[in-house]
Amino acid sequence: MSVEKPSGSLAPVDWQQRKWSRADAKHLLWRTQFGASAEQIARTHTDGSAKSLERLFSLQPESTAFVAADELLRRAAMDTDSPASLKAWWLHRLFHSANPLPEKMALFWHNHFATSIAKVRSASAMAAQNDLCRREALGSFRRLLHGMTQDGAMLVWLDGNANRRRHANENFAREIMELFALGEGHYSEKDIKEAARAFTGWHVREGQFWFNRDQHDFGIKTVFGKMGDFDGSAVVDLCLAQKACPRFLATKLLRAFVLPQPAEAIVAAVAARVRAHDFAMGEVLRELLASELFHSDEARGALIKSPIELALGALRALEGQPNLRAVHAVTTLLGQDIFQPPTVKGWEGGRLWITSASLLQRANFAATLTGSNQLGAINAPEISARKTDTTPAQIVAHYTDLLLARPPAPETRQRLESYAAASTGETAERIRGLLHLIMAMPEFQLM
Amino acid sequence: MNAQLFRPLHHLSLCALSLTLFIGLPARAAEPAKADSLTRVLPSGALGFVEVENLAGQIQRLRQSLLVKLVLESPEYGEAIKAPQYKEGMAFIKVAENILDMDVWKAADTLLSGQLALALYPKANSPQPEPLVILRTPDAAGLEKLRLRLAPLVALAGEKIQRKEEAGGMETFQLDDKLFVALHKNWIVASPNRDLAMRAVGLLNGQKGGVLAFEAPFAKMRDQMGAKHFVQVGVNLEALRAAINARMNVPEQFDNGAASLLFQSLAELAVRSPYFGLTVDIDDKGFALTAGLAGGPKALAPEHQWYFSDPKTGGTPPLPAVPGLIGGFSTYGDFSQWYRNREKLLVERVQPEFDKFESGIKTLLPGRDFADDVLSALGRTITFVAAQQNYDHLGGGQPAMKLPGFALVFELAKPQEGGDLFQLLFQTIATLTNLGAAESGNQPWVMMAENYKDTSIWLMRHLKKPEGKQLPVVYNFMPCAARMGNRFVLTSSPSLCRQLVDAFQKPAPVAAANKNLNIELFPIELAALAQNNLDLLTAQAVQGGKDADQAKHGIEALLKVLRTIESAKLFSTVKEDRFQFRLEGHWK
């Protein structure tokens, strides 16, 4: 089935008319992976938009070293059933995978279907859910939502086993409508009660979905005004058919990848694309990333980095080798503990990432990263390469370009240059001092 | 304790400097090297001393050992030598070798193949003690060469050093008012206190009387710990008590139960001991470090005697000889005595904690009183063992993370009564664990019994036999209990329980005399356990930021080192007049 091309602000940028710049390349990379090194930015700049998008959306072969380490870390997490090992495994993937966009989307879906190991208490169940998020990261939301309703971790998380024929538990049905598919205000209490009946008997046994026939209510239900002998799958389809569903997804996608507060018209336009692509989210995202909207001035530096984007992004930009356990500790301190979101709503994100306390902790993170090897050694070559940039202005230009979404204000640049000129000691140490200053700036919190 | 007494670093550094500089001056007369301990030429009145004998020989021995060879081959060492500090250090050594015209090992051999001693003396009107250093070498010719090479450097010091030729071919040097050095053909004496140094010179020249070795505390130390060691350290506790206070700041009552169990009785012994001694001995196959105090348990108040075994009847037994023994400990103590005396031993503030503890323990042992029923049923020794375990009881399944089997062996004062009590405890824990398992959806245990070589073993097996080679860690645990004569045994694995039955049915080996505490570790078995968990250990290193290959090589190097160490043992012995701890390491 052919899909009509997007138009208006969602129309693709005409790169024949507009020059693809280093800034465009950096913008694309920071939004689609966790930070970007100078070499990655240069390569993406050289490749241009189309080729870069093709690379991001097609499956890249993973290196042998990555595969070996990934297997090792996953097996360790399964063997020890340790949440810390599980989190280290995923952090390794987030940072080292040759396919960063699927990983970033998997994190997006983890936040959407927020499930915590604190209650599930099974590394293997959480890893299986994570696999599902990754498998459908750029795939079909339809398959993903169906998969989630039969996911072992999700059924434990939302008390699936308590949902029995004579005592339907509304928890599962409520979260599907409110948090996964429609958002508040797009369903009635009666819809929830009836949908809960459809999910009765959807239980989990030994970590796997189990249809407990004896506990399923086979009676007629009425959901969204439609009547039938609905089971859970039918209710999921009814949710997907609601107008609110693509709109709900469009809002989340825009907030995660483009703008913190998208206008109504833009949400409506993206929702139309979600429907047009029948929930093929990779297609929708690809159109978004190529759009005038994404490359507009308004979208540059408009998003606040999540703790994971901040920590892994800084490490990647400075070509560091992360200490996964230490990085996990710091992102947890900053408010994002993967596999352990605070509530069923996940991390609210956006401006809520920044509080007076977290801003101080973000500055402390910068100090730790640039002043020690505690979070992972930041790459000496990246820093020593700068020894050839002889003037303070050149050094400041290099690092502000590498680390900031937008060029700094002239007075800020001047202050940084004054610092670079006045600081004494070893070049590497002076650069570390400068990096600390740049990364402690409010501008570094944005991407 | 007055910490300033042990902060004479400024003077020490001056003494060290003098040993380096003054060997550069020409010698005047020869004197044969003496083999006696330098404590015989150290003046009396010291708070403490350290003496090292033939350090150069030990360095040489260490350089040739397999252990050092493995460390030098390790990736960590390979990384370390890339560090700028290492390169700077090597450059410094090269410069020093050029000045000395000999390699650094030869220089060390010349200076350190004899004896080196440092003693600290109380200083009038000062909290800081004064150091005195004596170096004596048998290599007078080597020392002469070093002196000649360093002479130009000494000359650079100019008028800062006042040089004087003394009778008998000795030279003295005064560096400002800070350091006095006397040197002869094969010895050097240095101290900030000229009188003190001259007393040592007199003793080196054959004067009699007033030497450290014959002071009562150090004479006792020599009698009880021996005179010849690679390193010996002596502290005159009588002098220290006079300098600080009679109890050396040791409180009469402790405010922590664990600290009281572990250290209080020893601290009381130290408060009464005339000396604290430490010796180190090394040979090709191992080392021994011994720490000692004078005085026996009978000198202590009754509430402190619970800790010590009877010097005549022996103490705790050796660890049971089970296959794949990784390590463990056995300890002696009359714990019921300690518990009954807790109000004397511990401050009032912590006493309510014992009431809370007793309330808690009643959940596990309903209707029993902890002090009267439980502790009185216990004997004096408790043994803990960790050994490799097999997974036969899982019928082919294996956990992915392989842990050792663990065992606790309690000696029972009342075998029947104590056995019943501990079995009740075992059953209660099993029941509570099953309730927890039910809550978290884990497999419950089913209790069963088996007869093994006329011993009844109670064991808890999993309701369903697990399958697979990557089972969760919980499958390392299948608790068992058994009473074997006057012992009650709790283990985490059936195979270990059976092995303990075998071990205890054999005639008891002769126990090392009066061991109060006995800790043993067998690194070869530890290496085997680590080998079985290699992937998990590698994963841990990768989580810490290493790449997988780098991590694997690092762990394999560590395992090689572990495999060269045969055993490490720490034990204490009690005699009528002394208490000693001994740490022994044995390698291939």
Side-chain angles (χ1 to χ4, degrees):
Chain A
M1 188 178 74
S2 69
V3 177
E4 209 173 295
K5 290 224 160 78
S7 57
S9 61
L10 295 186
V13 176
D14 182 354
W15 295 109
Q16 307 287 339
Q17 298 295 316
R18 184 176 147 186
K19 192 168 178 277
W20 171 251
S21 66
R22 262 183 66 85
D24 292 317
K26 184 173 64 177
H27 177 56
L28 178 68
L29 289 176
W30 269 91
R31 295 288 173 95
T32 52
Q33 58 181 43
F34 298 94
S37 66
E39 188 261 324
Q40 287 176 322
I41 295 170
R43 180 183 162 197
T44 305
H45 180 216
T46 308
D47 286 350
S49 170
K51 193 173 171 187
S52 299
L53 281 174
E54 183 55 34
R55 186 176 66 245
L56 283 165
F57 281 87
S58 58
L59 193 66
Q60 302 299 312
E62 298 286 4
S63 70
T64 318
F66 170 82
V67 173
D70 181 59
E71 282 174 4
L72 190 74
L73 291 172
R74 185 180 174 111
R75 204 164 56 238
M78 300 302 106
D79 290 351
T80 56
D81 203 21
S82 143
S85 295
L86 184 72
K87 291 166 187 179
W89 163 69
W90 195 13
L91 280 173
H92 178 264
R93 287 196 69 95
L94 292 173
F95 190 79
H96 290 287
S97 172
N99 294 283
L101 183 54
E103 292 301 327
K104 194 154 199 177
M105 273 302 279
L107 184 58
F108 172 84
W109 291 126
H110 172 53
N111 192 28
H112 185 86
F113 295 104
T115 308
S116 172
I117 195 167
K119 181 172 178 183
V120 176
R121 292 171 69 176
S122 163
S124 57
M126 292 301 293
Q129 187 189 78
N130 190 260
D131 291 342
L132 174 62
C133 288
R134 184 171 298 103
R135 203 162 52 241
E136 295 299 343
L138 296 167
S140 159
F141 178 74
R142 186 179 289 282
R143 283 196 301 268
L144 181 57
L145 185 58
H146 274 286
M148 277 294 169
T149 57
Q150 298 192 2
D151 174 69
M154 183 60 78
L155 284 161
V156 173
W157 176 237
L158 295 179
D159 306 309
N161 280 10
N163 200 8
R164 305 170 82 85
R165 185 157 50 92
R166 289 191 184 80
H167 301 283
N169 185 315
E170 294 167 13
N171 209 8
F172 198 75
R174 183 180 299 280
E175 304 311 5
I176 285 174
M177 290 187 188
E178 182 184 328
L179 300 175
F180 302 162
L182 305 174
E184 274 183 276
H186 299 284
Y187 52 86
S188 68
E189 282 303 303
K190 185 166 182 299
D191 290 330
I192 289 176
K193 282 183 194 304
E194 292 290 289
R197 289 176 56 212
F199 284 109
T200 50
W202 281 41
H203 288 180
V204 59
R205 190 165 68 174
E206 292 182 359
Q208 301 293 320
F209 171 73
W210 170 49
F211 180 60
N212 186 348
R213 173 170 285 275
D214 290 344
Q215 291 299 336
H216 181 66
D217 180 346
F218 285 96
I220 299 296
K221 297 108 186 169
T222 306
V223 181
F224 303 130
K226 293 196 163 31
M227 281 178 67
D229 170 17
F230 299 135
D231 65 1
S233 293
V235 169
V236 168
D237 285 333
L238 287 170
C239 288
L240 289 165
Q242 298 301 299
K243 271 188 182 170
C245 185
R247 195 181 170 75
F248 183 61
L249 293 174
T251 308
K252 280 203 158 184
L253 210 56
L254 281 162
R255 283 185 180 163
F257 286 91
V258 188
L259 284 168
Q261 299 293 336
E264 268 304 303
I266 292 172
V267 173
V270 175
R273 302 310 298 162
V274 173
R275 181 65 75 197
H277 285 291
D278 190 25
F279 296 100
M281 302 306 288
E283 299 302 318
V284 178
L285 184 63
R286 189 170 181 150
E287 285 179 3
L288 260 183
L289 297 176
S291 69
E292 291 279 1
L293 177 69
F294 180 78
H295 287 284
S296 67
D297 195 47
E298 184 193 6
R300 297 289 164 100
L303 299 180
I304 294 173
K305 289 171 189 167
S306 71
I308 292 198
E309 285 163 338
L310 178 86
L312 294 185
L315 276 154
R316 188 187 305 284
L318 300 174
E319 297 176 34
Q321 172 82 359
N323 177 328
L324 303 170
R325 285 194 295 255
V327 167
H328 168 244
V330 84
T331 56
T332 301
L333 189 71
L334 294 173
Q336 194 175 23
D337 184 3
I338 51 169
F339 284 117
Q340 212 157 328
T343 67
V344 284
K345 290 183 179 173
W347 298 280
E348 299 246 347
R351 289 187 70 94
L352 293 180
W353 286 129
I354 302 290
T355 62
S356 51
S358 74
L359 199 56
L360 187 65
Q361 281 156 352
R362 284 176 176 231
N364 288 343
F365 157 75
T368 308
L369 182 68
T370 55
S372 73
N373 287 341
Q374 204 178 312
L375 294 162
I378 56 175
N379 194 16
E382 164 53 38
I383 289 173
S384 61
R386 304 281 72 76
K387 288 178 183 172
T388 55
D389 292 338
T390 50
T391 69
Q394 282 174 314
I395 293 175
V396 168
H398 172 79
Y399 283 114
T400 51
D401 181 53
L402 179 67
L403 295 168
L404 303 182
R406 286 169 175 273
E411 61 271 28
T412 308
R413 179 186 293 276
Q414 203 162 27
R415 281 185 184 181
L416 292 171
E417 286 174 6
S418 300
Y419 171 85
S423 61
T424 54
E426 288 273 317
T427 310
E429 288 313 304
R430 287 166 53 210
I431 289 176
R432 281 173 184 269
L434 179 67
L435 285 172
H436 178 201
L437 278 187
I438 295 173
M439 288 166 60
M441 283 162 50
E443 290 89 330
F444 181 67
Q445 315 310 318
L446 302 172
M447 64 173 195
Chain B
M1 194 177 289
N2 192 336
Q4 283 183 304
L5 278 171
F6 296 96
R7 262 190 267 146
L9 294 179
H10 176 66
H11 288 145
L12 275 179
S13 59
L14 284 173
C15 290
L17 178 70
S18 73
L19 290 177
T20 314
L21 282 179
F22 288 96
I23 51 174
L25 295 164
R28 290 285 175 266
E31 186 185 79
K34 292 177 182 174
D36 280 349
S37 161
L38 286 177
T39 57
R40 289 172 180 264
V41 291
L42 281 168
S44 57
L47 294 168
F49 74 93
V50 182
E51 185 181 12
V52 184
E53 177 109 22
N54 191 14
L55 181 59
Q58 296 299 353
I59 293 171
Q60 191 64 21
R61 191 198 301 273
L62 202 63
R63 285 179 71 200
Q64 288 164 357
S65 74
L66 179 61
L67 204 61
V68 171
K69 187 170 168 275
L70 288 171
V71 170
L72 296 181
E73 285 171 358
S74 69
E76 278 73 15
Y77 181 77
E79 282 300 308
I81 61 173
K82 290 178 194 161
Q85 292 88 339
Y86 179 87
K87 288 176 182 164
E88 284 164 15
M90 290 309 290
F92 176 79
I93 287 172
K94 283 285 167 208
V95 171
E97 286 179 340
N98 276 334
I99 291 170
L100 300 174
D101 193 27
M102 64 173 76
D103 77 36
V104 71
W105 300 112
K106 172 63 187 159
D109 198 45
T110 298
L111 282 175
L112 303 172
S113 58
Q115 296 141 304
L116 176 66
L118 161 73
L120 297 174
Y121 292 81
K123 186 180 177 185
N125 304 320
S126 170
Q128 288 199 358
E130 285 183 312
L132 170 71
V133 176
I134 303 179
L135 182 144
R136 189 160 61 188
T137 173
D139 184 8
L143 188 59
E144 174 69 11
K145 188 180 173 191
L146 280 173
R147 282 171 171 166
L148 291 172
R149 297 295 301 180
L150 286 172
L153 289 181
V154 176
L156 285 176
E159 291 177 357
K160 275 185 173 289
I161 299 174
Q162 294 170 17
R163 177 169 167 267
K164 200 172 165 190
E165 291 191 12
E166 306 274 357
M170 183 180 76
E171 278 182 309
T172 61
F173 301 87
Q174 183 75 48
L175 174 62
D176 293 337
D177 286 331
K178 292 173 184 163
L179 183 67
F180 176 81
V181 177
L183 68 108
H184 218 266
K185 173 102 180 180
N186 64 337
W187 54 253
I188 304 170
V189 174
S191 173
N193 183 331
R194 186 183 191 282
D195 293 342
L196 185 61
M198 286 309 288
R199 278 174 66 198
V201 168
L203 294 167
L204 278 159
N205 285 327
Q207 279 178 12
K208 301 290 176 197
V211 299
L212 195 76
F214 298 122
E215 281 190 288
F218 295 121
K220 186 157 224 162
M221 174 184 157
R222 190 178 61 244
D223 288 347
Q224 295 189 341
M225 301 188 71
K228 293 293 282 179
H229 299 283
F230 163 47
V231 177
Q232 52 180 323
V233 180
V235 179
N236 184 338
L237 294 182
E238 284 174 357
L240 211 56
R241 282 195 285 273
I244 306 171
N245 60 46
R247 288 188 57 82
M248 296 190 298
N249 293 339
V250 173
E252 300 269 0
Q253 288 182 309
F254 274 38
D255 60 2
N256 181 297
S260 169
L261 271 167
L262 292 170
F263 307 119
Q264 193 168 8
S265 298
L266 286 178
E268 286 299 320
L269 201 64
V271 163
R272 286 159 182 78
S273 172
Y275 74 85
F276 166 74
L278 184 80
T279 64
V280 180
D281 296 286
I282 302 178
D283 65 20
D284 290 338
K285 289 291 172 190
F287 77 93
L289 185 150
T290 308
L293 292 167
K298 283 188 180 156
L300 301 178
E303 64 268 24
H304 295 296
Q305 292 184 5
W306 69 272
Y307 183 85
F308 302 95
S309 55
D310 186 331
K312 287 179 186 152
T313 57
T316 195
L319 295 185
V322 293
L325 181 63
I326 295 169
F329 67 82
S330 61
T331 179
Y332 179 96
D334 188 345
F335 299 101
S336 65
Q337 272 307 108
W338 177 82
Y339 197 80
R340 288 196 176 92
N341 282 308
R342 64 188 184 277
E343 290 185 3
K344 285 184 188 168
L345 296 168
L346 296 161
V347 295
E348 180 59 32
R349 182 162 51 82
V350 300
Q351 301 299 334
E353 297 298 320
F354 289 93
D355 299 331
K356 278 190 212 163
F357 168 74
E358 288 197 7
S359 306
I361 203 89
K362 276 186 177 147
T363 314
L364 298 177
L365 290 164
R368 302 299 177 111
D369 181 80
F370 183 68
D372 284 350
D373 297 327
V374 181
L375 287 178
S376 67
L378 268 182
R380 304 274 170 99
T381 66
I382 297 174
T383 303
F384 171 80
V385 170
Q388 310 281 12
Q389 64 167 316
N390 67 47
Y391 297 98
D392 292 350
H393 55 275
L394 295 180
Q398 278 191 4
M401 183 200 269
K402 294 172 183 66
L403 297 177
F406 302 104
L408 261 175
V409 183
F410 297 95
E411 187 196 357
L412 300 173
K414 302 169 191 169
Q416 187 60 51
E417 204 179 317
D420 289 348
L421 193 74
F422 278 103
Q423 200 194 339
L424 173 67
L425 179 69
F426 181 67
Q427 287 173 356
T428 311
I429 291 172
T431 308
L432 292 175
T433 312
N434 268 353
L435 288 174
E439 270 179 19
S440 56
N442 291 330
Q443 271 215 56
W445 278 317
V446 181
M447 188 175 285
M448 52 187 283
E450 72 170 34
N451 190 289
Y452 180 74
K453 296 188 178 173
D454 297 329
T455 299
S456 294
I457 297 177
W458 303 283
L459 36 88
M460 290 193 269
R461 68 166 175 79
H462 297 282
L463 183 63
K464 208 166 131 186
K465 205 160 243 184
E467 288 174 6
K469 301 287 182 196
Q470 301 288 323
L471 295 172
V473 70
V474 71
Y475 288 100
N476 280 287
F477 300 95
M478 187 167 159
C480 300
R483 183 166 74 81
M484 307 169 194
N486 67 338
R487 298 183 188 94
F488 191 85
V489 177
L490 279 170
T491 71
S492 65
S493 121
S495 60
L496 183 55
C497 197
R498 292 182 200 114
Q499 286 162 358
L500 284 169
V501 172
D502 292 337
F504 289 135
Q505 284 185 352
K506 286 179 191 155
V510 179
N514 309 318
K515 280 189 180 175
N516 206 52
L517 170 73
N518 180 34
I519 301 173
E520 296 180 32
L521 179 70
F522 299 96
I524 291 174
E525 294 295 341
L526 195 63
L529 183 72
Q531 184 70 49
N532 286 337
N533 291 292
L534 191 59
D535 281 354
L536 283 176
L537 293 173
T538 310
Q540 288 245 318
V542 173
Q543 288 172 10
K546 290 189 174 176
D547 70 48
D549 279 348
Q550 193 187 7
K552 210 162 245 174
H553 287 139
I555 292 165
E556 277 164 3
L558 179 67
L559 293 186
K560 269 189 195 171
V561 172
L562 281 179
R563 287 184 192 113
T564 63
I565 306 170
E566 285 175 344
S567 66
K569 296 177 183 181
L570 172 70
F571 55 89
S572 61
T573 51
V574 184
K575 291 189 177 172
E576 299 280 3
D577 61 348
R578 77 195 72 161
F579 180 87
Q580 291 183 348
F581 269 114
R582 188 173 171 86
L583 174 67
E584 289 179 0
H586 302 276
W587 52 74
K588 288 180 179 172

